[in-house]
Amino acid sequence: MQIFSPVLKSQLKDCILAIFWPKKEIYRFLKDCSVPAQILKAVEDWEGKELSRRQIVDDVFDALTDRADNGTVHFNFMLDTLSEWTQFDDYWFNVRQELDLSKAKEKVAALKFGKENSINKTKARNTKERAKALAREEKFNSLEEMRLDFQTLSMGSETAQKRGYAFESFLTKMMRYAGLQVTDSFRIKGTQIDGTVKYDGEFYNIEAKWHDRSLSDEPLLAFCHKQEINMHGRGMFISVNGYTDGALHLLERSHVKNTILFDGEDIALILNEMTSLSNAMETKIRSAQTRGLFYVNPVDGKSKFAK
């Protein structure tokens, strides 16, 4: 990410050209701002190369921008120095009159304003990112809080999108309450919620849906097959209103057995302390690995799939 916008760089150039007249002073200023020697070497013979003042500055700025670090440190030196500039050489401004003092001060003032505006935008962006980070660390403080949240979510009349965002927040906090590490934050993608959690040393890609009807086969099979392209890919699919028999029959016949299935009943059993999320995952994983059953009751391990 580049910190210095094209507008800010243009203001830096304008300041340099408005303050310094001789090419050697422009060169000295750039050198004082720690511009690397290999970049300055390309413009140091400005007379022999017939480079104009503008070309010298443009060439150096282009070379700095092309660096892997985007020349950020050097542009920052220039910004700090020029935005507070007060030394206007009387010889070039008044005696020779090659430069315009009022114009130079105007450029410095514009740069200072641009710097403050950039800083304010960066602060606002950082504040927003910190707020997002804090939200990502949220978790339920108690099982009762989690139960009430899910009840409110279930009985609400929000649109599908609003309920999706609320369900996203619920899942994130539920996973953290269970002590699971959310490695990729839950997020809305279309009508689904995606995320990744770490359980018992393994990473599980998660997809969750809250439709008004049972889940059909296409999204479930697509998710299961998607795990095949990952190293030791594992998945956890959550469909609050369950799955159609067709979807389960297709999954049973498929060679793909890398996903455990959760439904609304499983969440209810967790909320009513019949089991915990960790125990539910343990039961479902064990059943999938030892018996080939991917859709079981998290309490007694009995298959929910009526063949």
Side-chain angles (χ1 to χ4, degrees):
M1 179 185 72
Q2 294 192 20
I3 296 175
F4 284 82
S5 67
V7 172
L8 203 53
K9 288 180 183 177
S10 179
Q11 290 179 315
L12 283 172
K13 291 180 182 180
D14 288 345
C15 264
I16 293 171
L17 295 172
I19 292 172
F20 305 107
W21 177 257
K23 296 175 185 178
K24 65 179 181 181
E25 289 189 8
I26 294 176
Y27 180 88
R28 186 182 303 119
F29 171 75
L30 295 171
K31 186 177 182 180
D32 289 344
C33 289
S34 299
V35 173
Q38 64 267 31
I39 291 179
L40 291 176
K41 188 175 180 62
V43 297
E44 62 186 8
D45 182 19
W46 53 80
E47 298 296 351
K49 296 176 181 177
E50 297 184 348
L51 295 177
S52 67
R53 296 164 65 249
R54 168 68 67 175
Q55 284 176 309
I56 292 172
V57 176
D58 283 344
D59 286 354
V60 169
F61 271 55
D62 288 345
L64 286 173
T65 301
D66 287 342
R67 285 166 56 94
D69 61 4
N70 301 307
T72 301
V73 171
H74 315 292
F75 287 131
N76 203 60
F77 284 152
M78 296 181 203
L79 180 62
D80 287 343
T81 303
L82 294 173
S83 61
E84 302 296 333
W85 194 267
T86 58
Q87 302 171 23
F88 302 96
D89 193 326
D90 185 68
Y91 180 74
W92 297 109
F93 283 96
N94 296 320
V95 178
R96 291 285 300 271
Q97 296 186 351
E98 297 287 359
L99 299 170
D100 186 320
L101 183 59
S102 61
K103 183 177 179 180
K105 290 182 176 180
E106 179 184 305
K107 296 296 183 183
V108 170
L111 181 64
K112 187 171 185 177
F113 177 80
K115 175 185 177 181
E116 292 172 351
N117 188 47
S118 177
I119 290 173
N120 289 336
K121 285 183 177 179
T122 300
K123 285 181 177 178
R125 185 167 58 247
N126 289 341
T127 299
K128 187 175 181 180
E129 289 301 318
R130 282 196 296 271
K132 287 182 178 179
L134 288 173
R136 288 195 294 267
E137 294 302 318
E138 286 182 347
K139 67 179 181 179
F140 291 113
N141 295 314
S142 66
L143 193 61
E144 178 64 20
E145 182 186 356
M146 183 162 59
R147 188 183 298 117
L148 289 174
D149 190 77
F150 189 74
Q151 184 179 26
T152 302
L153 188 57
S154 301
M155 298 177 66
S157 58
E158 294 89 351
T159 63
Q161 185 181 40
K162 285 186 177 180
R163 185 170 64 183
Y165 282 114
F167 191 35
E168 170 195 9
S169 175
F170 172 83
L171 287 175
T172 301
K173 292 192 286 186
M174 181 180 74
M175 297 291 175
R176 289 206 174 94
Y177 179 78
L180 302 185
Q181 180 185 353
V182 179
T183 56
D184 285 325
S185 299
F186 288 89
R187 58 200 180 277
I188 299 289
K189 288 183 67 177
T191 60
Q192 70 194 42
I193 298 171
D194 292 344
T196 306
V197 298
K198 186 177 182 181
Y199 173 76
D200 196 26
E202 295 285 349
F203 293 93
Y204 286 78
N205 290 321
I206 293 179
E207 188 167 310
K209 291 180 181 289
W210 192 328
H211 291 170
D212 292 331
R213 60 188 66 185
S214 300
L215 187 76
S216 60
D217 60 298
E218 184 177 345
L220 178 57
L221 291 178
F223 176 77
C224 293
H225 283 288
K226 188 165 61 177
Q227 308 315 310
E228 288 191 295
I229 65 175
N230 302 321
M231 182 177 68
H232 305 302
R234 293 188 178 193
M236 176 178 171
F237 204 104
I238 304 171
S239 175
V240 174
N241 285 309
Y243 309 84
T244 64
D245 288 341
L248 296 174
H249 276 287
L250 284 173
L251 192 58
E252 175 71 14
R253 292 196 298 270
S254 172
H255 70 281
V256 180
K257 297 290 190 296
N258 53 22
T259 298
I260 55 175
L261 306 184
F262 278 76
D263 58 21
E265 180 193 33
D266 298 330
I267 294 176
L269 290 171
I270 292 169
L271 296 177
N272 286 287
E273 300 183 84
M274 301 298 290
T275 186
S276 65
L277 177 59
S278 296
N279 287 339
M281 290 188 68
E282 187 77 25
T283 299
K284 289 175 180 287
I285 293 168
R286 183 173 63 250
S287 296
Q289 291 182 340
T290 61
R291 298 188 291 153
L293 302 178
F294 49 85
Y295 187 37
V296 300
N297 184 291
V299 177
D300 57 22
K302 291 182 179 179
S303 176
K304 291 187 176 186
F305 176 33
K307 300 182 182 181

